[in-house]
């Protein structure tokens, strides 16, 4: 990048020359335009390189900044999903308190639809975006950062960008610990889609906790699926067709777990006795199912509110240049789907995040499995 070059330098080139992430360079330049001083040596380096290169910001991004509408755009995979709708309620509540309005769009978890909906929201001059549909393998986030578009990820995370999520890895560890302490040694994991950090982090946490207890999980017991009841049903059939089916199943979200439980009932398996089931998120119906669902509780409403506050703080120049990745604590709620003895004790058992699940920390043997009806091969 030569000073005086006729070609306008890009934000990506500025970031590369300064040795920082594109998102960091974008925030440094945004703070500078607001008259705020650099907050670090790296920020000073970005500003000096931009000055030497006669850097000019993207026209669309400049327009977005100069004509604030106090509107935030929100992208979610499916607003009909109770998890995403609860997160959105948190976003909208916090945004309203901060003097902003929100507009939400469904992307169907499709990268092409995400791009189309984001461009539509930006054309309506929203001040920034909250994205609940980040794909680990998509270049779109880097493109948004390169254009100087303010955004925050919620529910899912991606290295180098602002995000607010549950501590998915820690939640997965809680599940692995709980099932191991109950005596299970063959555990199936329905891991969701591989492009979503939620599923991959929850799966990794569970596998690590099991490995630390000497429990090996064969690769064919980890099955990817859609994040819905149908995905849970299909994945459960694959698991239960195996010559040695699992004695426990961890589904990385509650709707998938509900599909798991439906299929187990169809196969005449007794949930919690023949096969233990654990989900994730603790949606409102989890405790009211015919067999109440053990699950990891995450603060969904708070997650959305924190994402809105972080984005507005960015828009107002109230934060440092470094990416902020906030992880909210998780908590295991033990119910009858994994531990039928909860019923005899007359209450659901809530296990603190850092505690060792089980009966007073003492491992017990998994109950004997009764014969099950196998699906057709």
């Amino acid at each position: 990048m030569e000073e005086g070059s006729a070609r306008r330098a890009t934000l990506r080139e500025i970031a590369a020359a300064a040795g920082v992430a594109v998102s960091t360079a974008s925030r440094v330049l945004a703070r500078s335009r607001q008259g705020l001083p650099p907050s670090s040596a790296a920020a000073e380096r970005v500003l000096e390189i931009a000055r030497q290169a006669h850097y000019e910001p993207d026209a669309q991004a400049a327009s977005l900044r100069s004509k604030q509408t106090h509107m935030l755009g929100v992208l979610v995979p499916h607003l009909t999903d109770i998890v995403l709708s609860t997160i959105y309620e948190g976003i909208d509540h916090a945004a309203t308190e901060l003097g902003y309005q929100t507009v939400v769009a469904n992307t169907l978890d499709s990268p092409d639809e995400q791009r189309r909906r984001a461009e539509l929201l930006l054309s309506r001059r929203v001040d920034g975006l909250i994205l609940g549909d980040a794909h680990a393998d998509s270049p779109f986030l880097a493109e948004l950062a390169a254009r100087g578009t303010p955004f925050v990820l919620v529910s899912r995370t991606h290295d180098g960008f602002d995000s607010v999520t549950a501590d998915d890895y820690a939640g997965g560890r809680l599940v692995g610990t709980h099932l191991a302490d109950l005596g299970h040694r063959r555990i199936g994991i329905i891991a969701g889609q591989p492009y979503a950090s939620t599923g991959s982090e929850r799966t990794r946490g569970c596998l690590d906790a099991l490995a630390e207890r000497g429990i090996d999980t064969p690769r064919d017991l980890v099955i990817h699926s859609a994040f819905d009841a149908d995905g849970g049903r299909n994945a459960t059939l694959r698991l239960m067709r195996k010559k040695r089916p699992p004695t426990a199943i961890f589904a990385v979200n509650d709707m998938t777990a509900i599909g798991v439980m439906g299929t187990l009932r169809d196969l005449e398996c007794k949930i919690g006795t023949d096969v233990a089931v654990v989900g994730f998120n603790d949606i409102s119906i989890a405790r009211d199912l015919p067999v109440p669902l053990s699950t990891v509780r995450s603060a969904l409403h708070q997650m959305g509110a924190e994402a809105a506050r972080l984005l507005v703080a960015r828009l107002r120049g109230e934060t440092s240049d470094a990416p902020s990745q906030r992880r909210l604590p998780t908590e295991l709620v033990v119910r009858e789907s994994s531990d039928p003895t909860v019923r005899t004790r007359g209450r659901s058992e809530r296990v603190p995040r850092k505690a060792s699940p089980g009966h007073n920390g003492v491992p017990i043997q998994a109950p004997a499995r009764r014969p099950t009806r196998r699906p057709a091969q």
Side-chain angles (χ1 to χ4, degrees), residues 85-215:
S85 62
T86 304
I87 291 173
Y88 175 65
E89 287 176 1
I91 292 171
D92 191 59
H93 179 79
T96 300
E97 288 186 337
L98 293 166
Y100 284 75
Q101 293 182 305
T102 62
V103 56
V104 64
N106 288 308
T107 66
L108 307 180
D109 225 359
S110 160
D112 290 341
E113 191 66 13
Q114 178 195 55
R115 184 184 297 272
R116 189 181 76 82
R117 292 300 183 106
E119 296 295 354
L120 178 61
L121 291 173
L122 292 172
S123 72
R124 302 286 178 87
R125 299 296 187 261
V126 295
D127 295 338
L129 296 172
I130 297 176
L131 307 176
D133 59 350
H135 282 222
D137 54 356
S138 171
F140 186 55
L141 300 181
E143 293 172 17
L144 285 176
R147 289 162 51 178
T149 302
F151 67 89
V152 170
L153 309 182
V154 69
S155 181
R156 301 177 187 174
T157 189
H158 195 293
D159 290 342
F161 302 110
D162 289 335
S163 64
V164 182
T165 68
D167 194 336
D168 292 311
Y169 176 80
R173 287 186 62 87
L174 285 175
V175 175
T177 300
H178 172 59
L179 294 175
D181 283 356
L182 287 174
H184 296 283
R185 294 297 179 266
R186 188 165 174 82
I187 298 161
I189 301 177
I190 303 179
Q193 298 286 14
Y195 55 71
S197 66
T198 45
S200 60
E201 286 295 290
R202 294 167 189 177
T203 298
R204 186 168 65 88
C206 184
L207 290 173
D208 284 354
L210 294 174
E212 289 170 9
R213 287 154 182 81
I215 301 171

Side-chain angles (χ1 to χ4, degrees), residues 287-327:
R287 66 177 66 85
D288 298 323
L289 296 169
V291 179
L293 176 64
S294 294
T295 183
V296 176
R297 177 172 295 164
S298 51
L300 301 175
H301 191 278
Q302 180 186 353
M303 191 188 303
E306 287 291 322
R309 293 185 190 113
L310 177 56
L311 178 56
V312 171
R314 288 294 192 201
L315 293 170
R316 293 174 176 174
E318 297 171 349
T319 58
S320 67
D321 304 325
S324 175
Q325 295 189 329
R326 302 178 184 176
R327 290 177 172 83

Side-chain angles (χ1 to χ4, degrees), residues 75-79 81-89 132 154-155:
L75 297 180
V76 299
H78 302 277
L79 196 56
D81 184 313
I82 190 170
V83 171
L84 274 303
S85 62
T86 304
I87 291 173
Y88 175 65
E89 287 176 1
V154 69
S155 181

